[in-house]
């Protein structure tokens, strides 16, 4: 049995909470709000602040109650994990781009679907519950907020600027929740696909990767184990991330 400090994003609250409740390990979770990946520097600062907080608390605990590792339920997330370090505990980080791999069960499955589908925007229950997901209802709400703050004419311009990214998307991928899906969430994603003219596809969510986050094994193929005193760096060989001594310069 291990004692684990886990840092997770609220979009996976249901899955992680279920796994923690059933785990043979003793796991305490620190939750961060959804959306920090949109501003990687802020995500990095929040993750490092949390890692530092965990280490400070750990040093004050009796030896038999101390954590053996800090696990991040985050992938690269727009390079938000790059530069993170732990001074006294190993830092465990999934070797994947983002939480979509975790929800799909593997980075390999995500990559396969990425190549099969053109311009896919992903939905799942956690994202619908915790995030601003594209939908007619959300965009009407967003425009009303712009209009109230900046006026009607400026609201139209801001909406055009804000939603320009949607031109690059052609598909809607909905990932079901293995713990018991809600038909209302799938209907929400289907309606969004209809509203924006996207092709809809449904995929079964899997717990394999998230289960390994909570329970291990943290094998090198799926996870980076960044030792104490090292930091996380991006790795462009396909392994996503690597560890280097904290004082070492990144190789160009």
């Amino acid at each position: 049995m291990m004692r684990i400090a886990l840092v997770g994003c609220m979009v996976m609250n249901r899955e992680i909470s279920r796994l923690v409740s059933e785990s043979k390990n003793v796991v305490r979770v620190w939750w961060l709000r959804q959306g920090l990946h949109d501003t990687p520097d802020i995500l990095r600062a929040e993750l490092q602040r949390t890692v530092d907080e965990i280490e400070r608390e750990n040093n004050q605990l009796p030896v038999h109650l101390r954590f053996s590792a800090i696990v991040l339920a985050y992938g690269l997330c727009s390079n938000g994990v790059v530069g993170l370090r732990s001074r006294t505990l190993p830092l465990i980080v999934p070797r994947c781009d983002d939480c979509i791999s975790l929800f799909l069960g593997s980075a390999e499955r995500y990559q396969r679907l990425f190549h099969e589908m053109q311009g896919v925007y992903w939905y799942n229950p956690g994202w619908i519950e915790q995030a601003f997901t594209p939908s007619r209802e959300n965009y009407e709400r967003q425009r009303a907020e712009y209009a109230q703050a900046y006026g009607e004419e400026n609201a139209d311009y801001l909406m055009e600027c804000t939603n320009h990214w949607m031109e690059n998307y052609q598909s809607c991928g909905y990932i079901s929740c293995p713990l018991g899906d809600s038909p209302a969430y799938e209907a929400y994603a289907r309606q969004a696909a209809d509203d924006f003219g996207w092709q809809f596809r449904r995929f079964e969510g899997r717990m394999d990767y998230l289960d390994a986050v909570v329970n291990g094994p943290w094998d090198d193929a799926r996870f980076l184990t960044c030792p104490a005193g090292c930091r996380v760096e991006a790795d462009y060989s396909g392994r996503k991330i690597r560890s280097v001594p904290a004082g070492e310069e990144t190789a160009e």
Side-chain angles (χ1 to χ4, degrees), residues 18-249:
R18 172 69 170 272
L19 289 165
V20 168
S21 73
E22 298 175 345
S23 179
K24 63 183 181 299
N25 296 317
V26 177
V27 185
R28 178 176 166 189
V29 183
W30 277 256
W31 295 108
L32 298 184
R33 66 177 176 85
Q34 188 281 333
L36 291 172
H37 67 282
D38 293 333
T39 50
D41 290 343
I42 296 177
L43 171 58
R44 184 179 304 109
E46 286 296 297
L47 285 170
Q48 188 62 63
R49 178 190 62 77
T50 306
V51 168
D52 293 344
E53 176 188 327
I54 291 168
E55 290 195 279
R56 282 194 299 270
E57 180 169 329
N58 198 50
N59 289 335
Q60 297 171 5
L61 293 173
V63 173
H64 70 286
L65 295 180
R66 289 180 182 174
F67 301 115
S68 55
I70 301 173
V71 182
L72 304 185
Y74 284 85
L76 264 175
C77 293
S78 304
N79 280 346
V81 302
V82 172
L84 295 179
R85 59 171 295 187
S86 173
R87 293 169 177 79
T88 59
L89 291 169
L91 197 60
I92 314 297
V93 191
R95 294 187 187 274
C96 60
D97 290 308
D98 50 42
C99 66
I100 304 302
S101 292
L102 297 175
F103 286 126
L104 286 171
S106 72
E108 292 76 18
R109 188 183 182 202
Y110 182 27
Q111 285 298 312
R112 184 172 68 252
L113 294 175
F114 177 83
H115 291 296
E116 286 180 11
M117 301 171 68
Q118 296 295 314
V120 57
Y121 193 97
W122 294 97
Y123 291 73
N124 83 330
W127 276 85
I128 293 171
E129 289 176 342
Q130 301 288 343
F132 181 92
T133 48
S135 69
R136 179 173 295 176
E137 176 185 0
N138 277 341
Y139 282 116
E140 288 175 351
R141 183 182 298 113
Q142 186 180 52
R143 190 195 178 284
E145 292 173 356
Y146 283 155
Q148 183 176 8
Y150 306 109
E152 291 291 337
E153 185 175 341
N154 289 329
D156 290 333
Y157 173 74
L158 288 170
M159 287 299 292
E160 182 179 345
C161 294
T162 302
N163 303 321
H164 180 71
W165 62 268
M166 293 182 67
E167 297 176 3
N168 299 320
Y169 287 81
Q170 304 171 32
S171 305
C172 167
Y174 177 75
I175 307 171
S176 66
C177 178
L179 304 180
D181 208 17
S182 168
Y185 290 145
E186 182 174 341
Y188 176 96
R190 286 184 181 275
Q191 184 61 56
D194 288 343
D195 290 342
F196 302 123
W198 294 341
Q199 177 191 14
F200 178 87
R201 289 185 64 182
R202 183 184 191 276
F203 300 94
E204 296 294 327
R206 297 176 184 169
M207 298 286 279
D208 310 49
Y209 212 165
L210 287 169
D211 185 84
V213 168
V214 175
N215 295 306
W218 301 318
D219 52 283
D220 188 60
R222 292 183 297 172
F223 295 91
L224 168 71
T225 297
C226 184
C230 293
R231 72 171 187 270
V232 179
E233 288 288 357
D235 185 310
Y236 301 102
S237 68
R239 289 168 58 77
K240 305 298 182 185
I241 45 179
R242 65 189 180 102
S243 63
V244 297
E248 181 179 307
E249 294 296 325

